[in-house]
Amino acid sequence: MILPKQYRCTHSPSCQCTRGHLSEDVLLLVFQHLNWNPKLVATLSCVCKWFDDFAKRVLWKEFCKTRAPRMMLDLQSSGSHCIDGNWRALGKLLIYCSGCTQGGLFNSSVQIPGHFVYRTRFSRTLGRSLLPPQCRTDVLYVSDPCEHLDQGEEGDVGLFRGIFKSFPTSKVRKVIINKAVPFHPSEVCPYCKARLWSMLQAKIIPQSACIRLEAYEDCIEYFVCLNGHLLGICTLAPLSDSEDANPSEDSNHIEKKQDNCFAKENVLKRRNSLLGGSEIGPSPQKRLTNSNQCNIDV
């Protein structure tokens, strides 16, 4: 038997689904006044299917466009009115560090719970350093590593995440497919539930990745899903160990300590310049004092 195609309701003004609900225009004005607070958007999505559909179509999109306008403008510059995956998944990626589990996606020996982040910088320059030379024309935005210090044998762990522009037509995807890289057997993307490819298994992690992330060599791993969401982990290298020097050290040690201090300052300056970019976020008149607000820098 051939089943007729089911069309999803568009919730027109005469639709019976909207009885007892506020109109979309009213909800839009309310959340615009709330500066698209992500916690309230998520709470509204749990009320009913109509609210959930409205949040997916409108509210999460406005949240992303308000918090990272330049990034969203670039991701949609190809003429598309949507992004790979969905707006809710991208909104979660902007403000949520997924953490890692013992023996999970990264085969880590430590448990780092997922958490929301108050302030995040996404850099196209950092993303370019994570791409192999033959794929440098692709556009990838990557966040600063979320630092989780003193994780036992793992040391200082950094977790980062990112998003490709037009991933279905990207060179990275073509390289992965040409190399016949298999999907991860069990884990999926924590943001959109799509299957994941390992960039480490594809052997396309460049040397520049550890330099830009200030991480140890051979201690970087990241995955990319079918929708172009990237998530990775690295072991952060210490900036300097000069703080452990003996106060009674001789002049040679003092000179070495001073050199270490200058080196530390240079590393910090280099890190700021490499991850530099104009700060993008809510306009000053729209900022709220709500502790749930999250600012995005691009």
Side-chain angles (χ1 to χ4, degrees), residues 92-113:
K92 183 178 180 181
L93 183 141
L94 291 179
I95 61 176
Y96 186 74
C97 171
S98 61
C100 65
T101 57
Q102 293 182 355
L105 180 63
F106 301 111
N107 292 319
S108 175
S109 61
V110 298
Q111 176 86 17
I112 300 177

Side-chain angles (χ1 to χ4, degrees), residues 212-246:
R212 294 299 179 95
L213 291 170
E214 299 291 349
Y216 287 110
E217 296 182 12
D218 302 325
C219 291
I220 299 177
E221 183 178 11
Y222 44 96
F223 292 80
V224 61
C225 77
L226 286 168
N227 290 319
H229 300 143
L230 181 144
L231 56 154
I233 190 172
C234 62
T235 301
L236 301 173
L239 293 178
S240 173
D241 58 355
S242 61
E243 290 81 1
D244 298 330
N246 190 335

Side-chain angles (χ1 to χ4, degrees), residues 71 75 83-86 89-90 93-94 122 127 130-131 138-143 160-174 176 183 188-197 199 222-232:
M71 179 176 167
L75 292 178
I83 44 87
D84 300 329
N86 57 69
L90 181 56
L93 183 141
L94 291 179
F122 280 80
L130 269 63
L131 298 173
D138 288 348
V139 175
L140 171 64
Y141 286 90
V142 175
S143 70
F160 53 95
R161 57 203 188 278
I163 177 72
F164 277 88
K165 175 184 178 181
S166 303
F167 183 67
T169 59
S170 65
K171 292 184 178 180
V172 167
R173 186 177 184 274
K174 292 180 181 179
I176 292 174
F183 289 113
V188 295
C189 176
Y191 302 106
C192 65
K193 307 304 179 185
R195 304 191 70 180
L196 294 160
W197 283 300
M199 303 283 276
Y222 44 96
F223 292 80
V224 61
C225 77
L226 286 168
N227 290 319
H229 300 143
L230 181 144
L231 56 154

